[in-house]
């Protein structure tokens, strides 16, 4: 597979513009009653027209058979090998709430939870306390200094928070304290290597102190930590592609992922129309745009086939606003499939469409999984989408003499 | 991806014959007026018949999105990973004029140029002096001995020459002296590593001496050097495939590339018919034939859609001569695409056709990019063509027990 060093060598800046529209969880599976997927069921004339005009295919985010999380799904779309560059959950949660991590920091996801007098878990989410309460409790825990490591605690939403361990010599391969069930005690955190003993020890001390400080705060009288991970050191998209990239995403995690690869992240509204309006306002000042649409994935995760169809139709209806900007290269794809019948992410390859002045055409006339099998892009890896987009934008020089 | 070590292990000699016809810059893009590519426009009944009979697909020379130069394009066709085996420009130019390089030699491309009395460049090509004049000037510079390194200077064509540095301990990672613009002085050559300091120093001394010797030779009163590269150490095709390969190519660069992988290179004429006649004469004595046709690429580079169509038709008309030899395996493909609308090499995958007694058939009935999308070979890497050809020639033993 192509490596980023090679792309870095041949990438060159140019005035052309690339728009990457990521419809989260785009691919689906047939509903048993109709035999048609969400895309085949939806009335999406604008996407169909793009499919007829551009070149289509199916992309594997990681590899055939592998179901990706949101992080590997997006990293692959940005051209980063999702296996080499694995982003931990703690880091993901932290960057998603605008926490600035420093090299060597370890982040973990936290839950406020409820334990009984025997220390057994009664509620892993402390009755989903309000975000205000969570903020108040985080302040009670924030800033501890344990063995020269500062522990910073940031509220996320409801019972969820992020703990950042800031200090030297931290390795993140430790077990989690969340037993993922009630009726048992929270687990102690164990090191999985010699190097991570220090972090395990500090994390256990933090939890012990948190328990003491939260003793009177029923139902949020304890914390659970999971997803310990180190801040990764990723080359930025500007370094690799010589692009000036802008991310437009409503949900924090996707803004966070974009930030990890060095994109600028802008404020936008809460609707797809807002995202497209934000794109229009910023169109002159950037040459790469990552637009993220979440609701297809949420509908798929909920197993709501009809809602996923409706969301697809809404996206299609809004699309002319994006098309009217006439980006030199328009890519429409997803970070992974989320078939409603599976109620979750899946391993199925994701439809990918590329439109440019220089793409070959194929026989595909509609935007769907079965139609895209015959597409001219064939079956590719999602990491190959960025090189293709760059090539079609004439931003890659020739390789070799 | 399959590596050459594995192929080497299972390759075995046999009397079957493989013909690899490389139509340079074969793939194209639709003309905006007709929506048809060069191949779709051309009347090519013989190629269509082969497509109907054989198995077809599209091959990426390096990877999706990557536009290859001629060297990586051909190395991939010969089965060598074009990223691991990157051939430098100087070496390519040298082998293209039959200069025999030895291991450890460094070659650079040279231009005679014109500088004014302030040493500023007036003409990077010295008014394109005649090849005769170039030959005469090369003799003036040839054979210098600088710090135990012999510098050999060979004329190429017009203002172009090759300088070969023959000596010990030479590394080629140095900058170029050609500033690629006029009105400035030639650059001095700088080492990019500790190891290349020696070459940089010798190259600068060579340039200084050349300036002195050329002082009275206006307009060719100075030299520019670029593309410094080391003679690569490639395993030969005989070693890997147990083949006895013959290269038939009219243009020097392609003969040079064939020589780099250990092919024998034969003299031929100046027309496609000459190449096929040369093939016929030598058919009994070899079992692998690389035939190179250049003019499709030249027409594409010139942006001359109609001429590319015409060249394709000429190739098609000459083809029965090749087919009548009934090679056990016939492969028709290109080293890269050169769409007339792009006036240069491009990243688009290249049509590849394989005919043998043992290939599966597919539904493809015509020889074109859109038709080949549905081909039975699917979308492959160009490095996979040689193993397929070898297999179809029954020259590969079973792998594993």
């Amino acid at each position: 597979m192509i490596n980023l060093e090679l792309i870095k060598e041949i990438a060159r800046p140019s005035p052309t513009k690339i728009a990457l529209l990521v419809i989260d969880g785009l691919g689906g599976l047939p509903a048993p009653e109709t035999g048609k997927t969400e895309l085949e069921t939806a009335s999406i004339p604008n996407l169909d027209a793009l499919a007829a005009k551009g070149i289509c295919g199916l992309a594997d985010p990681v590899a055939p058979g592998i179901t990706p999380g949101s992080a590997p799904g997006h990293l692959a779309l940005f051209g980063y090998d999702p296996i080499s560059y694995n982003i931990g959950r703690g880091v993901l949660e932290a960057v998603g709430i605008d926490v600035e991590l420093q090299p060597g920091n370890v982040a973990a996801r936290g839950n406020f939870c409820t334990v009984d007098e025997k220390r057994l878990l009664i509620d892993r989410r402390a009755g989903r306390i309000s975000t205000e309460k969570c903020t108040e409790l985080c302040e009670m825990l924030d800033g501890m200094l344990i063995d020269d490591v500062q522990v910073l605690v940031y509220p996320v939403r409801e019972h969820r928070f992020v703990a950042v361990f800031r200090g030297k010599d931290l390795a993140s391969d430790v077990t989690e304290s969340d037993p993922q069930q009630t009726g048992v005690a929270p687990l102690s955190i164990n090191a999985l290597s010699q190097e991570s003993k220090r972090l395990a020890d500090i994390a256990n001390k933090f939890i012990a102190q948190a328990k003491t400080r939260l003793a009177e705060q029923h139902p949020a009288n304890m914390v659970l930590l999971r997803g310990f991970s180190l801040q990764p050191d990723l080359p930025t998209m500007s370094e690799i592609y010589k692009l000036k990239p802008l991310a437009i995403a409503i949900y924090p995690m996707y803004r966070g992922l974009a930030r990890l690869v060095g994109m600028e992240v802008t404020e936008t509204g809460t609707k797809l129309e807002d995202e497209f309006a934000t794109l229009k306002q910023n169109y002159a000042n950037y040459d790469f745009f990552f637009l993220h649409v979440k609701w297809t994935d949420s509908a798929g995760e909920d197993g709501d086939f009809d809602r996923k169809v409706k969301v697809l139709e809404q996206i299609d209806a809004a699309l002319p606003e994006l098309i009217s900007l006439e980006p030199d290269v328009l890519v429409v794809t997803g970070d992974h499939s989320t078939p409603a019948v599976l109620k979750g992410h899946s391993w199925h390859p994701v439809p990918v469409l590329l439109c440019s002045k220089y793409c070959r055409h194929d026989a595909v006339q509609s935007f769907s999984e079965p139609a895209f099998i015959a597409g001219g892009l064939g079956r590719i890896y999602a990491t190959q989408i960025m090189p293709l987009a760059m090539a079609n934008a004439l931003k890659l020089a020739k390789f070799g003499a």
Side-chain angles (χ1 to χ4, degrees), chain A:
Chain A
M1 200 170 313
I2 210 67
N3 65 47
L4 290 177
E5 280 307 309
L6 186 138
I7 299 288
K8 194 173 164 179
E9 234 172 72
I10 59 176
R12 57 184 181 191
S14 86
T16 56
K17 290 176 196 287
I18 300 171
L20 170 67
L21 174 61
V22 176
I23 303 176
D24 205 307
L26 177 63
L29 278 173
E33 314 82 49
T34 64
K36 287 185 174 179
T37 67
E38 296 90 332
L39 277 168
E40 289 180 288
T41 308
S43 168
I44 44 175
N46 293 308
L47 283 168
D48 288 342
L50 283 179
K53 193 180 151 206
I55 190 158
C56 311
L58 292 167
D60 286 290
V62 180
I66 309 302
T67 297
S70 298
H74 276 84
L75 281 186
L77 288 179
F78 303 152
Y80 298 71
D81 174 19
I83 297 174
S84 320
Y85 295 111
N86 197 2
I87 309 289
R89 286 170 193 277
V91 167
L92 209 58
E93 192 94 335
V95 295
I97 55 165
D98 291 322
V99 170
E100 273 198 37
L101 295 176
Q102 296 163 2
N105 287 181
V106 167
R109 296 171 77 176
N111 272 16
F112 287 104
C113 62
T114 315
V115 291
D116 64 16
E117 63 283 356
K118 288 177 192 152
R119 236 191 125 239
L120 303 182
L121 267 168
I122 301 171
D123 184 344
R124 290 178 51 247
R125 297 184 184 83
R128 292 192 185 271
I129 51 167
S130 70
T131 304
E132 291 71 37
K133 185 70 190 173
C134 178
T135 307
E136 190 187 301
L137 296 173
C138 284
E139 278 167 21
M140 288 174 62
L141 303 182
D142 188 40
M144 290 184 205
L145 194 70
I146 306 172
D147 299 343
D148 289 333
V149 169
Q150 201 183 14
V151 186
L152 304 163
V153 181
Y154 304 90
V156 179
R157 200 183 296 196
E158 296 176 338
H159 56 286
R160 287 159 45 207
F161 66 87
V162 168
V164 173
F165 297 82
R166 180 163 291 170
K168 282 184 182 163
D169 305 322
L170 298 176
S172 64
D173 52 330
V174 297
T175 60
E176 312 192 328
S177 80
D178 187 346
Q180 301 280 350
Q181 54 178 312
T182 53
V184 299
L187 307 168
S188 74
I189 288 166
N190 298 317
L192 295 170
S193 73
Q194 197 59 35
E195 292 71 38
S196 59
K197 281 192 170 167
R198 179 166 148 79
L199 175 66
D201 186 46
I202 291 168
N204 285 320
K205 285 179 179 165
F206 166 75
I207 292 170
Q209 285 210 33
K211 185 169 185 303
T212 309
R213 293 193 190 185
L214 296 171
E216 306 302 315
Q217 300 294 330
H218 190 89
N221 62 359
M222 182 55 169
V223 295
L224 297 172
L225 295 181
R226 61 202 159 99
F228 288 88
S229 47
L230 259 177
Q231 153 78 343
D233 192 15
L234 292 165
T236 68
M237 286 186 82
S238 313
E239 282 163 19
I240 299 163
Y241 302 112
K242 321 283 186 307
L243 290 170
K244 199 178 169 203
L246 182 70
I248 303 172
I250 293 168
Y251 285 73
M253 188 200 279
Y254 310 96
R255 292 204 300 267
L257 281 166
R259 222 175 262 123
L260 275 180
V261 294
M263 288 194 216
E264 258 185 69
V265 177
T266 184
E267 289 300 313
T268 187
T270 57
K271 292 193 300 262
L272 183 58
E273 289 72 16
D274 299 330
E275 294 190 81
F276 287 166
T278 304
L279 170 65
K280 204 168 181 175
Q281 284 154 28
N282 290 280
Y283 196 67
N285 302 322
Y286 301 85
D287 55 9
F288 178 89
F289 303 90
F290 158 54
L291 289 114
H292 180 265
V293 185
K294 174 70 181 169
W295 307 286
T296 28
D297 179 59
S298 323
E301 294 259 12
D302 292 347
D304 193 335
F305 191 98
D306 296 340
R307 199 172 95 227
K308 194 171 170 197
V309 168
K310 220 165 269 167
V311 173
L312 287 169
E313 292 177 343
Q314 286 163 357
I315 295 169
D316 189 81
L319 214 52
E321 187 73 14
L322 167 57
I323 296 170
S324 70
L325 291 173
E326 300 184 359
D328 299 275
V329 178
L330 171 59
V331 176
V332 181
T333 187
D335 55 339
H336 54 74
S337 296
T338 307
V341 302
L342 277 172
K343 297 187 182 180
H345 295 195
S346 82
W347 61 91
H348 302 86
V350 186
V352 50
L353 157 92
L354 189 151
C355 264
S356 95
K357 218 196 296 187
Y358 305 114
C359 65
R360 283 191 190 143
H361 301 179
D362 54 29
V364 177
Q365 295 295 318
S366 61
F367 196 109
S368 77
E369 303 86 349
F372 277 30
I373 292 174
L377 287 178
R379 177 122 176 207
I380 59 174
Y381 284 98
T383 48
Q384 298 176 322
I385 294 172
M386 269 305 292
L388 282 167
M390 290 283 293
N392 275 277
L394 305 183
K395 288 178 190 291
L396 290 184
K398 191 161 66 175
F399 168 69

